[in-house]
Amino acid sequence: MKKTTLIIIGLVWILALLILIIALTDLYPHNIFSEYRLIIGIAFISITGLLKPIYKSVINKVT
């Protein structure tokens, strides 16, 4: 259970990071994220902030 939770947390964070990279760079012309760069940046910071306590609680859980 502990490993699956950590894997899911990692995948969510990597997905958010990929969306942030696509939004902030112009690798793909006319991408759907280019208009919402500020919102995506704030969302990435929020997701990272929310995943940190979840990660700490999973690591400190004794089972």
Side-chain angles (χ1 to χ4, degrees):
M1 182 70 178
K2 191 178 205 181
K3 285 185 181 183
T4 57
T5 306
L6 293 176
I7 289 171
I8 291 171
I9 289 171
L11 290 175
V12 167
W13 191 80
I14 289 171
L15 181 66
L17 181 64
L18 287 174
I19 291 172
L20 180 70
I21 289 170
I22 290 170
L24 294 179
T25 59
D26 290 327
L27 295 176
Y28 304 105
H30 308 294
N31 65 20
I32 60 173
F33 303 119
S34 64
E35 297 177 10
Y36 306 105
R37 290 179 179 174
L38 179 63
I39 295 170
I40 291 173
I42 292 170
F44 179 75
I45 293 170
S46 300
I47 289 171
T48 303
L50 290 173
L51 289 179
K52 186 176 179 181
I54 295 170
Y55 174 78
K56 285 186 177 183
S57 70
V58 169
I59 292 296
N60 293 334
K61 190 180 221 182
V62 179
T63 45

